Amino acid sequence: MKERVPPVLSDRPFLLLWLAQIISQTAQNAILYTLIIIVLGLTESTTSASVVVLSFVVPTAVFGLFAGILVDRWSKRRLLILTNAGRAVTAVAFFFAREHVGALYGVTVFFATFSQLFTTSNAASIPYMVSPKQLISANTLFSGGFTIAQIAGLIILGPAILTTAGPGVLFASAAGAFVVASLLARFLPYIGHAEGEEAHGTFPGRDELRGAVSEFAAALRSLRADPLSTMAMAHITMSSTLMLLFAILVPRYMQAILQVDADKAVTVFAPVAVGALIGLRAVPFVVGRLGKTRTVALGLFGLALCLLALGFVETIADVLERTERLNPFAEQGTDRVFGLSILVALTMAFAGPLGFAYAMLNTPAQTTLHERTPVEMRGRVIASQMVLANGVALIPLVVVGGIADLYGVSSVVLAIGLLLALGGALSLYVERRWLQQEGNQPPPSGGESAQRSRQQEAVPGSIDTT
């Protein structure tokens, strides 16, 4: 009889960690939305708004070199408490600096640093909270938490509070949310090795912090030694980069292709969020049937098809308009459905599957890293993952907009689709080579050896009051 795996949310420590993640990340996303709107209003310059994004991304790439050492050497629980408290302080600073652009940039650097350290600590804590058999479900909820926070912060609460109450109320509310998240982290159990004592955890010294670059290199060497871990890192980097690419290209796509105001993007691309939530729900089922690498490859191929469809959306709309029998949008000779043009309706139709496919990327890859990373290096590997993701993401922030201006946004979307299809094929090739080298044995999924290891690491049910 197959052993029943209990739901991960029935585990109180994981539930506290997950709630702290959703609450704090929702506040973070609402603040980022508000900062962009405030800076745009003060400067009337899209370049200045881009500086806000860079002020957030660059520190996460730089400080990530040190974050991994802090997470591995010091108390994860304390870091979760202090980083949320730090973000509460920066939210208050935003409140007083909201009319000064330079001050907003400066506070954003500190805000980004606390946020990067929180995300690393949060991700590194997950394997200590659940059993190996629950890891894929835990990472699904972890990814789903980020999606929920993005929807709530960027689409619902951020715009709603900013419009009705103003930036001051939003920053004050965000500070309160970070305080709540810090209190939730306070009730977490000790996170770490059974033989360790959190009270005796030592803060990394100067020599250790100076060696951050060599530690970063050691984490990368550890990943390169394992092809599946290297591929998982590439998948996560690809996922993060795609998110920024979408943020840059969607406004241009709205204006150049759909001929709709960019502020309508929330409505047009809302199906992406719905598809992503459905996809996250389906991830454990798909991984159970296909395996983690093939699930990611499926997601990459699905993204490629959706992006190719979006790149050719004008051609598809022309064909539908000229072929009455194939035009499901025509109504009494018009070219609109529910008041939407064919271009907008097609884009919304493709957006749902796009979100579903995107959901297939991060969770399986993150689970692979958790399963195959040495326990003592988890923090550094996760921090390295974020450094690479944010470092790579800087390139599209700088050049993709110019390329879209030169060659058109459709050409850029098509090129990204082709690159994703190539990435899916390469993923299957790497897995096949790995299976051949291992005698066609499937990649380990955190089996009994991993389970025994984690049972030795965890201290169940103990509440740390240090």
Side-chain angles (χ1 to χ4, degrees):
M1 183 177 177
K2 187 176 180 180
E3 181 182 356
R4 182 180 179 272
V5 179
V8 289
L9 289 181
S10 65
D11 186 287
R12 182 174 178 270
F14 180 82
L15 177 62
L16 291 173
L17 183 72
W18 189 64
L19 290 175
Q21 174 205 349
I22 291 178
I23 292 171
S24 63
Q25 297 303 95
T26 297
Q28 173 183 308
N29 287 318
I31 283 180
L32 286 176
Y33 173 85
T34 303
L35 289 175
I36 292 173
I37 298 301
I38 289 177
V39 171
L40 274 174
L42 292 174
T43 65
E44 298 182 356
S45 168
T46 54
T47 301
S48 298
S50 297
V51 174
V52 173
V53 180
L54 288 172
S55 298
F56 188 83
V57 172
V58 172
T60 62
V62 174
F63 187 71
L65 297 173
F66 306 96
I69 297 176
L70 285 174
V71 171
D72 282 336
R73 300 281 198 272
W74 207 42
S75 161
K76 297 175 183 62
R77 174 179 169 275
R78 286 177 179 170
L79 285 172
L80 292 169
I81 296 170
L82 293 176
T83 51
N84 279 312
R87 289 196 286 183
V89 172
T90 56
V92 174
F94 281 132
F95 177 89
F96 291 105
R98 62 186 184 275
E99 295 181 359
H100 306 280
V101 175
L104 289 175
Y105 291 154
V107 177
T108 300
V109 171
F110 290 98
F111 181 68
T113 301
F114 285 125
S115 297
Q116 201 276 351
L117 188 52
F118 169 81
T119 303
T120 303
S121 304
N122 194 45
S125 300
I126 293 174
Y128 294 101
M129 297 287 187
V130 299
S131 69
K133 292 182 179 179
Q134 293 175 309
L135 198 52
I136 188 69
S137 296
N139 278 311
T140 298
L141 285 168
F142 179 74
S143 299
F146 275 106
T147 302
I148 292 170
Q150 286 169 347
I151 296 171
L154 294 173
I155 298 176
I156 301 174
L157 294 179
I161 296 176
L162 188 61
T163 301
T164 58
V169 173
L170 187 141
F171 290 135
S173 301
F178 289 130
V179 170
V180 171
S182 184
L183 291 174
L184 288 172
R186 180 68 179 81
F187 291 103
L188 285 172
Y190 164 59
I191 306 169
H193 304 282
E195 65 273 14
E197 289 293 338
E198 187 173 29
H200 300 152
T202 57
F203 194 86
R206 181 180 300 177
D207 292 338
E208 289 180 297
L209 294 177
R210 283 178 177 175
V213 175
S214 61
E215 294 281 359
F216 176 71
L220 293 183
R221 284 195 299 270
S222 173
L223 287 171
R224 284 202 304 268
D226 179 26
L228 294 185
S229 295
T230 302
M231 187 167 58
M233 179 74 83
H235 290 155
I236 293 172
T237 300
M238 204 178 304
S239 173
S240 300
T241 304
L242 278 174
M243 184 62 69
L244 279 177
L245 283 172
F246 290 157
I248 294 170
L249 292 175
V250 162
R252 296 172 184 267
Y253 188 89
M254 294 286 293
Q255 295 172 340
I257 305 300
L258 304 184
Q259 299 180 355
V260 176
D261 291 340
D263 59 8
K264 300 291 195 306
V266 170
T267 301
V268 174
F269 285 93
V272 172
V274 177
L277 291 174
I278 296 173
L280 287 167
R281 180 70 177 171
V283 163
F285 175 83
V286 178
V287 169
R289 300 300 186 275
L290 300 181
K292 291 185 283 292
T293 300
R294 293 179 184 178
T295 297
V296 175
L298 177 66
L300 290 172
F301 289 133
L303 282 169
L305 287 174
C306 291
L307 290 177
L308 290 175
L310 290 172
F312 286 118
V313 70
E314 291 175 299
T315 303
I316 297 172
D318 286 340
V319 170
L320 289 175
E321 286 179 323
R322 294 173 185 175
T323 310
E324 183 176 350
R325 182 176 298 178
L326 298 178
N327 185 1
F329 303 109
E331 180 182 353
Q332 296 180 354
T334 69
D335 60 350
R336 308 186 76 81
V337 58
F338 300 117
L340 303 173
S341 69
I342 291 180
L343 286 172
V344 172
L346 284 172
T347 299
M348 295 182 73
F350 298 143
L354 182 77
F356 184 92
Y358 182 80
M360 298 292 120
L361 299 189
N362 198 63
T363 299
Q366 192 71 62
T367 303
T368 297
L369 281 183
H370 279 154
E371 291 172 345
R372 302 181 69 82
T373 299
V375 172
E376 68 278 4
M377 295 190 70
R378 277 186 189 138
R380 278 163 287 176
V381 167
I382 292 171
S384 300
Q385 158 203 319
M386 297 185 69
V387 169
L388 283 176
N390 289 317
V392 171
L394 288 175
I395 299 174
L397 277 175
V398 175
V399 304
V400 165
I403 295 175
D405 289 338
L406 287 174
Y407 299 101
V409 66
S410 290
S411 298
V412 175
V413 170
L414 290 172
I416 295 172
L418 292 175
L419 288 174
L420 291 177
L422 180 63
L426 184 61
S427 299
L428 295 177
Y429 172 77
V430 170
E431 184 190 45
R432 182 180 178 184
R433 288 288 301 273
W434 189 91
L435 288 173
Q436 289 175 345
Q437 293 174 1
E438 299 295 322
N440 289 323
Q441 292 296 318
S445 58
E448 294 180 359
S449 61
Q451 188 171 7
R452 286 195 298 269
S453 174
R454 284 196 186 92
Q455 287 172 346
Q456 294 172 357
E457 297 165 13
V459 182
S462 61
I463 298 298
D464 186 352
T465 58
T466 60

